[in-house]
Amino acid sequence: MILEDLKHTAKAKREQSIYTCLEEIRSSWKGNVGGLIQDWEEIAGKQLALNCTPLNIQNKVLTIGASHPQWRQALQYNRLELIESLKSYGYQIKEIRIRQHYPIDLVTRESEKEIWERHPSRTDKSGMTNCPFCKVPSPNGEVKLWGKCSFCRRKELRID
């Protein structure tokens, strides 16, 4: 019984030691990119935080990566408010740089074979039918997707 209590106490001390160590690391992030990433949702707001990521702080210049051009534009329009928000959280930022950034989990890499497998112009899998507009034999996938063949679709999309 005493031996079990000693093992339990030793394990608790190790866990406390790990917790203390992690807290020290976490506190050292304050004013750094690590701390900023941790506070990012509160500083930038949920929607902006989901689509933009702090990448680097150097010489009081914060570099933020945006996953889409519209988010780059949103960051640009809200740049001054964001700097003020950062300052209110204790980050000494004087300028923000914005760049295009695609996080790895957002970028899907597909092989040409995978893309071709689901392409609407495949006749060997989807079969053929006549286009309802021009009556020319066309892949079923195109007619199903656009309601017409790709040639009629191209005519429809052409801007004169």
Coordinates of all heavy atoms in Angstrom, one line a residue, residues 47-91:
Q47 N -13.9 34.6 -38.1 CA -13.9 34.4 -39.6 C -12.5 34.7 -40.2 O -12.0 33.9 -41.0 CB -14.9 35.2 -40.2 CG -15.4 34.7 -41.5 CD -16.7 35.4 -41.9 OE1 -16.9 36.6 -41.5 NE2 -17.5 34.8 -42.8
L48 N -11.9 35.8 -39.7 CA -10.6 36.1 -40.3 C -9.5 35.1 -39.8 O -8.7 34.7 -40.6 CB -10.2 37.5 -39.8 CG -9.2 38.3 -40.6 CD1 -9.6 38.5 -42.0 CD2 -8.9 39.6 -39.9
A49 N -9.6 34.6 -38.6 CA -8.7 33.7 -38.0 C -8.7 32.3 -38.8 O -7.7 31.7 -38.9 CB -8.9 33.5 -36.6
L50 N -9.9 32.0 -39.3 CA -10.0 30.7 -40.0 C -9.3 30.8 -41.4 O -8.9 29.7 -41.9 CB -11.5 30.3 -40.2 CG -12.2 29.8 -39.0 CD1 -13.7 29.7 -39.3 CD2 -11.7 28.5 -38.5
N51 N -9.2 32.0 -41.9 CA -8.7 32.1 -43.3 C -7.3 32.8 -43.4 O -6.8 32.9 -44.5 CB -9.7 32.8 -44.1 CG -11.0 32.0 -44.2 OD1 -11.0 31.0 -44.9 ND2 -12.0 32.4 -43.5
C52 N -6.8 33.3 -42.3 CA -5.6 34.1 -42.3 C -4.7 33.6 -41.1 O -5.2 33.4 -40.0 CB -5.8 35.6 -42.2 SG -6.9 36.2 -43.5
T53 N -3.4 33.5 -41.3 CA -2.5 32.9 -40.3 C -1.3 33.9 -40.1 O -0.7 34.3 -41.1 CB -2.0 31.6 -40.8 OG1 -3.1 30.7 -41.1 CG2 -1.2 30.9 -39.7
P54 N -1.0 34.2 -38.8 CA 0.2 34.9 -38.6 C 1.4 34.1 -38.9 O 1.5 32.9 -38.5 CB 0.2 35.3 -37.1 CG -0.9 34.5 -36.5 CD -1.7 33.9 -37.6
L55 N 2.4 34.6 -39.7 CA 3.5 33.8 -40.2 C 4.8 34.2 -39.5 O 5.6 33.3 -39.2 CB 3.7 33.9 -41.7 CG 2.5 33.4 -42.5 CD1 2.7 33.7 -44.0 CD2 2.2 31.9 -42.3
N56 N 5.0 35.5 -39.3 CA 6.3 35.9 -38.8 C 6.2 37.3 -38.2 O 5.4 38.1 -38.6 CB 7.3 35.9 -40.0 CG 8.7 36.2 -39.6 OD1 9.0 36.1 -38.4 ND2 9.5 36.6 -40.5
I57 N 7.0 37.5 -37.1 CA 7.1 38.9 -36.6 C 8.6 39.2 -36.6 O 9.4 38.5 -36.1 CB 6.6 39.0 -35.1 CG1 5.1 38.7 -35.0 CG2 6.9 40.4 -34.6 CD1 4.6 38.6 -33.6
Q58 N 8.9 40.3 -37.4 CA 10.3 40.7 -37.5 C 10.4 42.2 -37.5 O 9.7 42.8 -38.4 CB 10.9 40.1 -38.7 CG 12.4 40.2 -38.7 CD 13.0 39.3 -39.9 OE1 12.3 39.0 -40.8 NE2 14.3 39.0 -39.8
N59 N 11.2 42.8 -36.6 CA 11.3 44.3 -36.5 C 10.0 45.0 -36.4 O 9.7 46.0 -37.1 CB 12.1 44.8 -37.8 CG 13.5 44.3 -37.8 OD1 14.1 44.0 -36.8 ND2 14.0 44.1 -39.0
K60 N 9.1 44.4 -35.6 CA 7.7 45.0 -35.3 C 6.8 45.0 -36.6 O 5.9 45.7 -36.6 CB 7.8 46.4 -34.7 CG 8.5 46.4 -33.4 CD 8.4 47.8 -32.8 CE 9.1 47.8 -31.4 NZ 9.1 49.1 -30.8
V61 N 7.2 44.1 -37.5 CA 6.4 44.0 -38.7 C 5.8 42.5 -38.7 O 6.6 41.6 -38.7 CB 7.2 44.2 -40.0 CG1 6.3 43.9 -41.3 CG2 7.7 45.6 -40.1
L62 N 4.5 42.4 -38.7 CA 3.8 41.1 -38.7 C 3.5 40.7 -40.1 O 2.9 41.5 -40.9 CB 2.5 41.2 -37.9 CG 1.6 40.0 -38.0 CD1 2.3 38.8 -37.4 CD2 0.3 40.3 -37.2
T63 N 3.9 39.5 -40.5 CA 3.5 39.0 -41.8 C 2.4 38.0 -41.6 O 2.5 37.1 -40.8 CB 4.7 38.3 -42.5 OG1 5.8 39.2 -42.6 CG2 4.4 37.7 -43.9
I64 N 1.3 38.3 -42.3 CA 0.1 37.4 -42.2 C -0.1 36.7 -43.6 O -0.1 37.4 -44.6 CB -1.1 38.2 -41.9 CG1 -0.9 39.0 -40.5 CG2 -2.4 37.4 -41.8 CD1 -2.0 39.9 -40.2
G65 N -0.4 35.4 -43.5 CA -0.7 34.7 -44.8 C -2.2 34.6 -44.9 O -2.9 34.2 -44.0
A66 N -2.7 34.9 -46.1 CA -4.2 34.8 -46.4 C -4.4 33.6 -47.4 O -3.6 33.4 -48.3 CB -4.7 36.1 -46.9
S67 N -5.5 32.8 -47.1 CA -5.7 31.6 -47.9 C -6.4 32.0 -49.3 O -6.5 31.1 -50.1 CB -6.6 30.7 -47.2 OG -7.8 31.2 -46.9
H68 N -6.8 33.2 -49.5 CA -7.5 33.5 -50.7 C -7.4 35.1 -50.9 O -7.3 35.8 -49.9 CB -9.0 33.2 -50.6 CG -9.8 33.3 -51.8 ND1 -10.3 34.4 -52.3 CD2 -10.1 32.3 -52.8 CE1 -11.0 34.2 -53.4 NE2 -10.8 33.0 -53.7
P69 N -7.4 35.5 -52.2 CA -7.2 36.9 -52.4 C -8.3 37.8 -51.7 O -8.0 38.9 -51.3 CB -7.4 37.1 -53.9 CG -6.9 35.8 -54.4 CD -7.3 34.7 -53.4
Q70 N -9.5 37.3 -51.6 CA -10.5 38.1 -50.9 C -10.2 38.3 -49.4 O -10.5 39.4 -48.8 CB -11.9 37.5 -51.0 CG -12.2 36.4 -49.9 CD -13.6 35.8 -50.0 OE1 -14.0 35.5 -51.1 NE2 -14.2 35.6 -48.9
W71 N -9.5 37.4 -48.8 CA -9.0 37.5 -47.4 C -7.8 38.5 -47.3 O -7.7 39.2 -46.3 CB -8.7 36.2 -46.8 CG -10.0 35.4 -46.6 CD1 -10.4 34.3 -47.3 CD2 -11.1 35.7 -45.7 NE1 -11.6 33.9 -46.9 CE2 -12.1 34.8 -45.9 CE3 -11.3 36.8 -44.8 CZ2 -13.3 34.8 -45.2 CZ3 -12.5 36.8 -44.1 CH2 -13.5 35.8 -44.3
R72 N -7.0 38.5 -48.4 CA -6.0 39.5 -48.4 C -6.5 40.9 -48.4 O -6.1 41.8 -47.7 CB -5.1 39.3 -49.7 CG -4.2 38.1 -49.6 CD -3.4 37.9 -50.9 NE -2.5 39.0 -51.0 CZ -1.7 39.2 -52.1 NH1 -1.8 38.3 -53.1 NH2 -0.9 40.2 -52.2
Q73 N -7.6 41.1 -49.2 CA -8.3 42.3 -49.3 C -8.9 42.7 -48.0 O -8.8 43.9 -47.6 CB -9.3 42.3 -50.5 CG -9.9 43.7 -50.8 CD -10.8 43.6 -52.0 OE1 -11.3 42.6 -52.3 NE2 -10.9 44.7 -52.6
A74 N -9.6 41.8 -47.4 CA -10.2 42.0 -46.1 C -9.1 42.5 -45.0 O -9.4 43.4 -44.2 CB -10.9 40.8 -45.6
L75 N -8.0 41.8 -45.0 CA -6.9 42.2 -44.1 C -6.4 43.6 -44.5 O -6.1 44.4 -43.5 CB -5.7 41.2 -44.3 CG -5.8 39.9 -43.5 CD1 -4.7 39.0 -44.0 CD2 -5.8 40.1 -42.0
Q76 N -6.3 43.9 -45.7 CA -5.8 45.2 -46.1 C -6.8 46.3 -45.7 O -6.4 47.3 -45.1 CB -5.6 45.3 -47.7 CG -4.9 46.5 -48.1 CD -3.5 46.6 -47.6 OE1 -2.8 45.6 -47.5 NE2 -3.1 47.8 -47.3
Y77 N -8.1 46.1 -45.8 CA -9.1 47.1 -45.4 C -9.1 47.2 -43.9 O -9.4 48.3 -43.4 CB -10.5 46.7 -45.9 CG -10.7 47.0 -47.4 CD1 -11.3 46.0 -48.2 CD2 -10.2 48.1 -48.0 CE1 -11.5 46.2 -49.5 CE2 -10.4 48.4 -49.3 CZ -11.0 47.4 -50.1 OH -11.2 47.7 -51.4
N78 N -8.9 46.1 -43.1 CA -8.9 46.2 -41.7 C -7.6 46.3 -41.0 O -7.4 46.0 -39.8 CB -9.7 44.9 -41.2 CG -11.1 44.9 -41.6 OD1 -11.8 45.8 -41.4 ND2 -11.5 43.8 -42.3
R79 N -6.6 46.6 -41.8 CA -5.2 46.6 -41.3 C -5.0 47.5 -40.1 O -4.4 47.1 -39.1 CB -4.3 47.1 -42.4 CG -2.8 47.0 -42.2 CD -2.0 47.3 -43.4 NE -2.3 48.6 -44.0 CZ -1.8 49.8 -43.6 NH1 -1.0 49.8 -42.6 NH2 -2.2 50.9 -44.2
L80 N -5.5 48.7 -40.1 CA -5.3 49.7 -38.9 C -6.0 49.2 -37.7 O -5.5 49.2 -36.6 CB -5.8 51.1 -39.3 CG -5.0 51.7 -40.5 CD1 -5.6 53.1 -40.8 CD2 -3.5 51.9 -40.1
E81 N -7.2 48.6 -37.9 CA -8.0 48.1 -36.7 C -7.2 46.9 -36.1 O -7.2 46.7 -34.9 CB -9.4 47.7 -37.1 CG -10.3 48.9 -37.4 CD -10.2 49.3 -38.9 OE1 -9.4 48.8 -39.6 OE2 -11.0 50.2 -39.2
L82 N -6.7 46.1 -37.0 CA -6.0 44.9 -36.6 C -4.7 45.3 -35.8 O -4.4 44.7 -34.8 CB -5.6 44.0 -37.8 CG -5.1 42.6 -37.5 CD1 -6.0 41.8 -36.6 CD2 -4.9 41.8 -38.8
I83 N -4.0 46.3 -36.3 CA -2.8 46.8 -35.6 C -3.2 47.2 -34.2 O -2.5 46.9 -33.2 CB -2.1 47.9 -36.4 CG1 -1.4 47.3 -37.6 CG2 -1.0 48.6 -35.5 CD1 -0.8 48.3 -38.6
E84 N -4.3 48.0 -34.1 CA -4.8 48.5 -32.8 C -5.1 47.3 -31.8 O -4.8 47.3 -30.7 CB -5.9 49.4 -32.9 CG -5.5 50.8 -33.5 CD -4.4 51.4 -32.7 OE1 -4.5 51.5 -31.5 OE2 -3.5 51.9 -33.3
S85 N -5.8 46.3 -32.4 CA -6.2 45.1 -31.6 C -4.9 44.4 -31.1 O -4.9 43.9 -30.0 CB -7.0 44.2 -32.5 OG -7.4 43.1 -31.8
L86 N -3.9 44.3 -32.0 CA -2.7 43.6 -31.6 C -2.0 44.4 -30.5 O -1.5 43.8 -29.5 CB -1.7 43.5 -32.8 CG -2.1 42.5 -33.9 CD1 -1.4 42.8 -35.2 CD2 -1.7 41.1 -33.4
K87 N -2.0 45.7 -30.6 CA -1.4 46.5 -29.5 C -2.1 46.3 -28.2 O -1.5 46.3 -27.1 CB -1.3 48.0 -29.9 CG -0.3 48.2 -31.0 CD -0.2 49.7 -31.4 CE 0.9 49.9 -32.4 NZ 0.9 51.3 -32.9
S88 N -3.5 46.2 -28.3 CA -4.2 46.1 -27.0 C -4.0 44.7 -26.4 O -4.2 44.6 -25.2 CB -5.7 46.2 -27.3 OG -6.2 45.1 -28.0
Y89 N -3.5 43.8 -27.1 CA -3.1 42.5 -26.5 C -1.6 42.4 -26.2 O -1.1 41.4 -25.8 CB -3.4 41.3 -27.5 CG -4.8 40.9 -27.4 CD1 -5.9 41.5 -28.1 CD2 -5.2 39.7 -26.7 CE1 -7.2 41.1 -28.0 CE2 -6.5 39.3 -26.6 CZ -7.5 40.0 -27.2 OH -8.8 39.6 -27.1
G90 N -0.9 43.5 -26.3 CA 0.5 43.6 -25.9 C 1.5 43.3 -27.0 O 2.7 43.2 -26.7
Y91 N 1.1 43.2 -28.2 CA 2.0 42.9 -29.3 C 2.4 44.3 -29.9 O 1.6 45.0 -30.3 CB 1.4 42.0 -30.4 CG 1.1 40.7 -29.9 CD1 -0.2 40.3 -29.4 CD2 2.1 39.7 -29.8 CE1 -0.5 39.1 -28.9 CE2 1.8 38.4 -29.3 CZ 0.5 38.1 -28.9 OH 0.3 36.9 -28.4

